[in-house]
Amino acid sequence: MATMESLIGLVNRIQRACTVLGDHGGEGMSLWEALPSVAVVGGQSSGKSSVLESVVGRDFLPRGSGIVTRRPLVLQLHKIDGGSDYAEFLHTPKKKYTDFASVRKEIADETDRITGKSKQISNIPIHLSIYSPNVVNLTLIDLPGLTKVAVEGQPESIVEDIENMVRSYVEKVRIISNFLVERRHSFICPRCFENK
């Protein structure tokens, strides 16, 4: 188990380094895209934030109607032995947040810093680490909700922009899972692939 925790810690540090160096994935060959992660995907207002907060055991994500998550949020959970929950952002090094209402405000402020107060989106992630005795070591990525139409203040391409962002995070999983399904299927029924 210690080896797995070390590996998760290493992946977290590499993800942070990628972000600092401007590697956010989705742009051809990327170290970021080669790292394991769990992406939270769904429609706007479908409850993705509630699921994440349930996993963490804290209310810390911005709420509202329409598009609230406008940048990927890389949420790295770190299990600690005892002590109080706290959070740290990559963009505010050495600042500990113990008030999770402040975490919510910082996410909103950091989103606005890149996207403005508009309803625009950006693929530049926000990195948030939460340290707690009540979590498991895990990296989750909260993505903007899928939508069917642009609303006022959004470009007409918003539907495609969000779909492309989500696809950039989940496509490697699909490729791997298709390979595994084909391999498993070939062991069960090798004749199915004889004509291919």
Side-chain angles (χ1 to χ4, degrees):
M1 189 60 151
T3 304
M4 181 57 76
E5 289 177 10
S6 298
L7 178 61
I8 291 170
L10 176 62
V11 168
N12 288 349
R13 288 190 299 278
I14 294 171
Q15 286 174 331
R16 288 179 185 177
C18 286
T19 298
V20 169
L21 296 172
D23 178 358
H24 313 295
E27 299 160 2
M29 292 302 294
S30 166
L31 177 58
W32 172 267
E33 291 177 354
L35 299 171
S37 57
V38 177
V40 181
V41 179
Q44 283 182 10
S45 303
S46 64
K48 298 180 303 298
S49 295
S50 296
V51 169
L52 287 173
E53 289 179 335
S54 177
V55 168
V56 174
R58 291 284 192 159
D59 293 334
F60 65 96
L61 293 170
R63 301 263 190 223
S65 59
I67 186 165
V68 177
T69 304
R70 294 180 287 133
R71 291 175 61 188
L73 175 69
V74 178
L75 175 60
Q76 296 176 331
L77 304 178
H78 304 270
K79 184 170 185 61
I80 57 173
D81 295 326
S84 299
D85 297 1
Y86 67 95
E88 294 177 338
F89 288 94
L90 184 61
H91 65 271
T92 58
K94 300 184 185 192
K95 181 175 181 184
K96 285 187 180 181
Y97 294 79
T98 55
D99 174 13
F100 281 77
S102 300
V103 172
R104 179 183 298 114
K105 182 178 182 326
E106 184 61 29
I107 292 170
D109 291 348
E110 178 62 11
T111 297
D112 290 345
R113 187 179 70 78
I114 296 294
T115 64
K117 299 241 183 232
S118 68
K119 295 183 174 53
Q120 303 294 320
I121 64 168
S122 169
N123 69 340
I124 300 172
I126 298 171
H127 278 263
L128 171 62
S129 290
I130 295 181
Y131 300 83
S132 171
N134 305 313
V135 299
V136 296
N137 292 320
L138 185 63
T139 298
L140 302 164
I141 303 173
D142 187 20
L143 296 168
L146 298 166
T147 186
K148 301 252 185 237
V149 294
V151 296
E152 186 177 334
Q154 292 178 326
E156 290 298 317
S157 65
I158 193 76
V159 174
E160 184 179 341
D161 294 344
I162 292 173
E163 287 175 0
N164 288 338
M165 182 188 301
V166 168
R167 192 173 289 114
S168 75
Y169 280 91
V170 299
E171 197 165 56
K172 68 180 179 185
V173 174
R174 182 181 56 77
I175 291 167
I176 292 169
S177 67
N178 282 349
F179 173 77
L180 292 174
V181 167
E182 287 180 10
R183 300 306 288 163
R184 189 191 86 214
H185 192 274
S186 67
F187 288 115
I188 295 170
C189 180
R191 290 175 299 172
C192 295
F193 293 94
E194 287 177 359
N195 295 329
K196 293 185 178 183

